Amino acid sequence: MASTLPRSYEAFVQGRVKFRVGRIVYLAFSRDETLLGFAFPKEWRDALVESEPDKYMLPRESDLRFNWVVVRLAAIGEEEMRELVIDAWAIVVPKSVAAAYAERESQVWQASRDGS
């Protein structure tokens, strides 16, 4: 999913799969692929982790300065994963790129709903 988003590309760094827009990492899998770090606003991070501590956790201390949170992949389904990926991507791309993508997806969703 992440590799299909505009301006997104996969990188393999020190044994880990990461997705970037330019030089900004917005997704990073742990080496064992059980955890996913993703871009997320710092000001909402504590509330997210406190709301579902079995699912979300704070990043390691050295990453607390970034807009970043970690999710346990076994705790989420495909639809939630899709939402996390798109939301993380939307944080790092220009707002016009995110808006154009949202508009395109809305049109596709409406067309499928209408049977077009």
Side-chain angles (χ1 to χ4, degrees):
M1 156 92 228
S3 60
T4 66
L5 295 169
R7 300 190 186 188
S8 177
Y9 67 95
E10 184 176 348
F12 197 67
V13 181
Q14 298 178 352
R16 297 177 61 196
V17 174
K18 297 183 178 194
F19 285 88
R20 295 180 172 175
V21 169
R23 296 185 46 84
I24 302 172
V25 174
Y26 71 96
L27 296 175
F29 288 91
S30 61
R31 282 190 178 90
D32 64 2
E33 297 184 354
T34 60
L35 302 174
L36 175 66
F38 61 97
F40 190 83
K42 280 191 271 189
E43 58 272 10
W44 299 341
R45 179 171 53 203
D46 288 337
L48 178 68
V49 172
E50 289 171 10
S51 72
E52 296 186 82
D54 293 337
K55 188 183 290 188
Y56 299 104
M57 65 178 118
L58 293 173
R60 62 184 177 204
E61 192 170 333
S62 63
D63 289 336
L64 286 173
R65 63 191 168 121
F66 299 112
N67 289 314
W68 203 249
V69 131
V70 178
V71 65
R72 293 171 180 88
L73 290 171
I76 63 172
E78 187 176 325
E79 186 58 33
E80 190 170 4
M81 172 70 137
R82 184 180 195 288
E83 289 175 20
L84 291 176
V85 169
I86 292 171
D87 290 349
W89 167 83
I91 289 172
V92 301
V93 294
K95 299 300 176 210
S96 60
V97 174
Y101 177 82
E103 177 65 25
R104 206 169 38 254
E105 287 299 302
S106 175
Q107 290 172 359
V108 168
W109 179 81
Q110 188 62 42
S112 68
R113 187 170 176 229
D114 295 343
S116 303

